[in-house]
């Protein structure tokens, strides 16, 4: 027995016979004859008998089934699900739950499509760029995670003396698109995915990690490698604020603090490897993926320190 909200379906037509043709059902429900015939052909609305002339005939229960079929179809359920409900294999609630999950997946896909198209329109992308962007944006969360994990694993492979704070920060990076990505986040993910797959960039990042691993003084507290760049920013900012030119004698004290007793050429090489624009861009993309405003890259401050070291190396 089928149950309906509100007490039951509309009353079927009444001609005294208790049986109705497809035409009569169509007039009573507002559905087309073609639609009702199709549902009958698909086995979701079975006639109870046929007339002497071979016409399909339906009873009041068929009329009730028809109303339920129309409701479920208007909600977007396929005939397979409708058939399962009518046969008692699944309840309406069970089918609705499955349909909600399917709709959620479709909505997520449409949101990605919208974001990709917005990015394409904004960037004026070529057909090739659009294809790549769509492909990268539609990677599953697991695939996106795998790309980043493989990148980080390559950076630290065979290096067991890296500052633990640096390694932990890199391994905990969660670069993934949210369920409702903005065009800017899709744009950031596409650029990030291309960047971490670039052999030249991977080599640059590996060099930075190798420099950290090669530090001789492992007695320093964990996290010094994250503290040191902040000190460089402070030194560079103070020097620029005071108008000190990198090649001037006044910069000597700052250079000595940067060197910390180390070899000038070696420190300069490390500074150049860790302060290039592509690494700064990498950090910016990660923060944008998380929906945050990128932190300042302090390019000018690092550039001042590097210029000051270069001036001494050249001298």
């Amino acid at each position: 027995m089928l149950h309906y909200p509100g007490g039951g379906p509309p009353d079927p037509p009444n001609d005294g016979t208790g049986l109705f043709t497809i035409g009569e059902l169509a007039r009573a429900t507002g559905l087309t004859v073609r639609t009702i015939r199709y549902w009958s052909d698909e086995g979701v609305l079975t006639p109870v008998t046929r007339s002497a002339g071979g016409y399909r005939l339906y009873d009041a229960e068929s009329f009730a089934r028809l109303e339920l079929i129309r409701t479920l179809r208007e909600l977007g359920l396929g005939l397979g699900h409708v058939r399962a409900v009518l046969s008692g294999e699944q309840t309406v609630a069970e089918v609705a739950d499955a349909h909600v999950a399917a709709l959620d997946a479709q909505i997520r896909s449409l949101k990605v499509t919208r974001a990709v198209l917005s990015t394409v329109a904004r960037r004026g992308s070529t057909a090739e760029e659009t294809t790549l962007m769509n492909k990268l944006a539609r990677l599953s969360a697991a695939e996106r995670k795998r790309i980043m994990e493989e990148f980080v694993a390559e950076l630290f492979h065979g290096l067991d003396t890296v500052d633990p704070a640096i390694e932990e920060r890199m391994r905990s990076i969660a670069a993934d698109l949210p369920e409702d990505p903005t065009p800017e986040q899709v744009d950031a993910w596409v650029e990030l995915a291309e960047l971490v797959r670039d052999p030249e960039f991977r080599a640059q990042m590996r060099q930075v990690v190798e420099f950290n691993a090669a530090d001789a003084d492992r007695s320093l507290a964990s996290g010094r490698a994250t503290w040191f760049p902040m000190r460089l920013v402070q030194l560079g900012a103070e020097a620029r604020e005071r108008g000190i030119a990198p090649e001037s004698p006044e910069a000597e004290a700052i250079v000595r603090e940067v060197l910390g007793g180390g070899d000038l050429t070696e420190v300069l090489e490390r500074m150049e490897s860790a302060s290039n624009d592509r690494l700064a861009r990498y950090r910016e993309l990660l923060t944008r993926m998380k929906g945050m405003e990128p932190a300042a890259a302090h390019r000018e401050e690092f550039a001042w320190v590097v210029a000051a070291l270069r001036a001494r190396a050249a001298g």
Side-chain angles (χ1 to χ4, degrees):
M1 177 66 67
L2 300 174
H3 299 280
Y4 302 86
D11 292 332
N14 184 5
D15 61 0
T17 67
L19 297 176
F20 319 102
T21 65
I22 286 181
E24 289 171 330
L25 287 180
R27 286 190 293 274
T29 62
L31 293 166
T32 65
V33 170
R34 181 177 180 180
T35 296
I36 298 175
R37 183 178 291 116
Y38 171 69
W39 288 346
S40 291
D41 292 341
E42 291 297 313
V44 293
L45 184 68
T46 307
V48 294
T49 186
R50 286 182 178 267
S51 68
Y55 293 104
R56 285 177 274 204
L57 298 174
Y58 303 85
D59 59 9
E61 181 66 15
S62 300
F63 184 83
R65 290 171 67 89
L66 181 60
E67 288 298 321
L68 180 57
I69 293 168
R70 175 163 64 177
T71 298
L72 296 176
R73 292 292 287 156
E74 287 176 348
L75 290 173
L77 273 65
L79 288 179
H81 278 144
V82 172
R83 192 180 293 110
V85 170
L86 294 173
S87 66
E89 295 175 16
Q90 289 183 289
T91 66
V92 174
E94 290 170 339
V95 170
D97 185 58
H99 197 55
V100 165
L103 285 174
D104 285 342
Q106 292 175 15
I107 290 170
R108 286 193 295 270
S109 179
L110 286 172
K111 287 178 177 178
V112 171
T113 298
R114 181 191 63 193
V116 169
L117 289 175
S118 297
T119 300
V120 169
R122 188 178 71 254
R123 292 173 57 173
S125 303
T126 64
E128 292 77 11
E129 290 171 336
T130 301
T131 299
L132 175 62
M133 189 180 307
N134 186 55
K135 180 179 179 180
L136 291 174
R138 290 188 180 282
L139 292 176
S140 68
E143 290 170 323
R144 289 193 291 269
K145 182 180 180 182
R146 177 183 56 78
I147 288 174
M148 296 305 297
E149 286 181 343
E150 288 179 353
F151 167 65
V152 174
E154 180 180 314
L155 296 185
F156 292 99
H157 179 68
L159 303 176
D160 56 4
T161 55
V162 176
D163 186 324
I166 293 291
E167 184 170 359
E168 176 60 28
R169 175 180 294 184
M170 288 291 295
R171 292 193 182 280
S172 64
I173 288 173
D176 196 9
L177 284 171
E179 288 193 1
D180 188 7
T182 65
E184 291 74 22
Q185 287 172 315
V186 170
D187 207 9
W189 162 249
V190 171
E191 186 177 345
L192 182 66
E194 292 178 282
L195 188 61
V196 300
R197 290 177 169 183
D198 181 358
E200 182 180 346
F201 175 72
R202 294 169 84 104
Q204 289 176 333
M205 287 291 288
R206 172 70 178 190
Q207 184 181 42
V208 172
V209 176
E210 286 176 345
F211 279 147
N212 183 276
D215 283 343
D217 189 0
R218 306 314 301 178
S219 63
L220 295 175
S222 171
R224 175 173 169 77
T226 60
W227 166 87
F228 186 59
M230 292 186 288
R231 180 58 179 152
L232 293 179
V233 169
Q234 181 183 6
L235 292 172
E238 291 174 354
R240 295 179 73 248
E241 185 177 344
R242 291 164 55 192
I244 299 175
E247 64 279 1
S248 68
E250 291 85 354
E252 188 66 34
I254 298 174
V255 170
R256 283 200 301 271
E257 181 164 351
V258 172
L259 290 175
D263 178 78
L264 173 60
T265 303
E266 182 180 343
V267 173
L268 175 58
E269 187 179 6
R270 294 187 181 203
M271 283 292 301
E272 289 176 330
S273 74
S275 60
N276 68 71
D277 285 344
R278 298 189 83 194
L279 268 65
R281 183 59 177 164
Y282 169 76
R283 292 189 288 269
E284 290 172 356
L285 293 171
L286 288 176
T287 56
R288 187 166 290 131
M289 285 280 294
K290 297 178 182 179
M292 301 183 296
E293 285 297 319
H298 301 293
R299 288 183 172 88
E300 295 83 1
E301 290 83 356
F302 279 113
W304 190 97
V305 175
V306 171
L309 290 170
R310 284 175 179 165
R312 270 75 196 165

